[in-house]
Each structure stands twice: as structure tokens, then as C-alpha cells.
Amino acid sequence: MPDIQAEELMGAYCDTTRRIVVVSAYPARLQPLLAELTTRCYDVLVFRHGQEALLSSLQIDLLIADRSVAGHDPLSGMSELKTPALYLVEPAALQDEHAVPGTEANPSEAWPSDVGALLARIEDLAGKSAPAAGPDEAAFKDIRMDLRRVTVQRDGRRVELTKTEFDILRALLMSGGGVLSRQDLMEKLWGEGYFGGSNSIDVHIKSLRKKLGDDPKNPRYIVTVRGVGYRTAD
């Protein structure tokens, strides 16, 4: 019983953490949202003003810019950041499509508003970015590979791969989107002296896709380049 109570006080253990940066001139107004984000295993950093050099240097899964107070734009004077963004605006401002920024990729949401509904939108936006990778990790979309422990997680859940499947996935992720031929993959896995058939790679790719839940007809992770080999999906 004491262990259960301790876990409730501390919160659930987080296998993966995504970083959300909040820029707000009045962060106290966002306290209910910030508290929920922290509880849900997000690494939350709060700044009162946007600092372009600092924000550009951080690995950010989602930037939340608070424009819900009239006349206060925490990103004023900054150039566009290459990171997913969510703008918080006055509820009334959403009625005027010319008054607030917002696109499908970087939408606007009202604040104050229902925290639960806003969290759902935040989780969707943050989940579309690749998780930050450490020095002993490789990451692609929601896949994280621990190269030292030889483990793989997808969307925070463990995926059991064979050593060959792990090595193929690592090679594809390390290629930076470049195409690897079957011969390339065989040499990376088994060396230049391997004389087995190239169809063995296809068999392992098929199994890898199945374990990742990847549809070869509409791939999210691994694309087949006909007559050449494989690469990571866009």
C-alpha cells in the first residue's frame, strides 16, 4: 500500500518525455494547463518572452505561444521557428479568421478554455514530432531506439525485435532518408563476405513492418523503392 500511495504522489513513471516550450507574458494564467502537462509526462519549459537564439537551440516537440491577452505577443519580432506551434488566443478572437494566426499545422485555440479538450489537441500536435534522441539513441517520428540497450519503443510502447530487425531499422534511420539497396543492408548486417540471397532482407523487412504496425501500401516508417531497396518514409 505505501508503494501505491508513493506512486500516486509522484505520478506515473515516464518511459518517454516530450518537450513543450510555453512562451507567455502571464504564465500564472496558464497554471491549470501547465500542471496537467507536467502530470502527463511532458518536459515543460516556460519563458516570459521569446528568445530566438535560445528557442532555436532547443529540441522542441511543441511550442505554445500565449496570445490570449490583447496587445501581448510573446513572439513579437521573431522570425518563424521551424517547430510545431500552437497559439493560445482570446475566445472572441477565434470568430475573426483575420485576427489570429493559425494553420492546420500550427493552429490557434482559445484560452481560457476546457483543459481536457486543449490537452487532446496538444497531445496530437506534440505526437507528430520526432522524439528527441540522446547520444546513444536514434529516433524517427514516434520510434525511439536505444542503441546501447538494443531496445525499441513506438509511441512509448516496447516493440520486441530480433537482432537482425533491430540492425535493419537502425541502418534505415541512420541513412537520413537515403535509399539503401538490399546489398547495402546485407553488407551492413553481415559484412561483404555474405553470399546469401537478397530476398532474406525482404523477409526481415516484412516482419519488421508487421511489428511496427506499418502498412506497406501506405507506409509511415519504411518505404519500398522498387528496383532499388528501402528508405524511411517522408
Side-chain angles (χ1 to χ4, degrees):
M1 185 66 68
D3 292 339
I4 296 176
Q5 292 175 343
E7 182 175 343
E8 290 176 347
L9 289 172
M10 296 171 61
Y13 173 76
C14 304
D15 285 329
T16 60
T17 302
R18 292 185 180 276
R19 174 172 291 166
I20 292 181
V21 170
V22 178
V23 186
S24 173
Y26 300 96
R29 298 182 70 251
L30 307 180
Q31 189 55 41
L33 175 61
L34 298 177
E36 283 295 325
L37 288 172
T38 302
T39 300
R40 296 190 179 211
C41 292
Y42 289 103
D43 177 21
V44 182
L45 302 179
V46 181
F47 300 94
R48 288 185 177 273
H49 304 285
Q51 304 172 48
E52 188 166 356
L54 176 60
L55 295 181
S56 298
S57 68
L58 293 173
Q59 175 68 45
I60 301 173
D61 293 294
L62 181 66
L63 173 69
I64 299 178
D66 179 19
R67 292 172 169 169
S68 63
V69 177
H72 290 274
D73 181 358
L75 302 183
S76 177
M78 292 179 56
S79 59
E80 184 177 355
L81 292 173
K82 295 181 180 180
T83 185
L86 174 68
Y87 300 100
L88 300 181
V89 300
E90 297 175 276
L94 288 179
Q95 307 303 316
D96 183 356
E97 63 180 8
H98 301 294
V100 297
T103 63
E104 183 177 352
N106 301 318
S108 295
E109 292 288 341
W111 184 264
S113 65
D114 177 68
V115 173
L118 185 56
L119 282 169
R121 171 54 73 90
I122 290 172
E123 290 178 350
D124 178 60
L125 291 170
K128 292 178 179 178
S129 65
D136 295 320
E137 297 176 323
F140 177 66
K141 296 185 178 179
D142 59 353
I143 294 175
R144 182 191 293 267
M145 302 185 71
D146 188 322
L147 305 180
R148 182 173 58 84
R149 299 174 61 191
V150 193
T151 60
V152 175
Q153 290 186 345
R154 182 178 69 85
D155 195 23
R157 297 178 177 85
R158 180 78 170 260
V159 179
E160 297 295 341
L161 301 182
T162 66
K163 180 61 165 60
T164 298
E165 292 163 354
F166 181 92
D167 289 341
I168 290 175
L169 182 59
R170 177 175 58 182
L172 290 170
L173 266 58
M174 294 297 189
S175 71
V179 179
L180 293 178
S181 69
R182 292 168 177 82
Q183 186 65 37
D184 290 334
L185 288 169
M186 286 191 295
E187 290 180 2
K188 288 179 180 294
L189 268 61
W190 302 301
E192 297 181 2
Y194 180 73
F195 294 103
S198 62
N199 64 326
S200 61
I201 292 295
D202 298 328
V203 172
H204 290 300
I205 289 284
K206 182 178 180 180
S207 177
L208 177 58
R209 279 172 165 161
K210 183 176 181 180
K211 292 180 179 180
L212 294 176
D214 200 16
D215 181 358
K217 295 181 180 178
N218 186 27
R220 184 182 182 193
Y221 305 118
I222 303 172
V223 172
T224 300
V225 181
R226 294 191 178 279
V228 183
Y230 300 95
R231 65 171 176 82
T232 50
D234 296 330

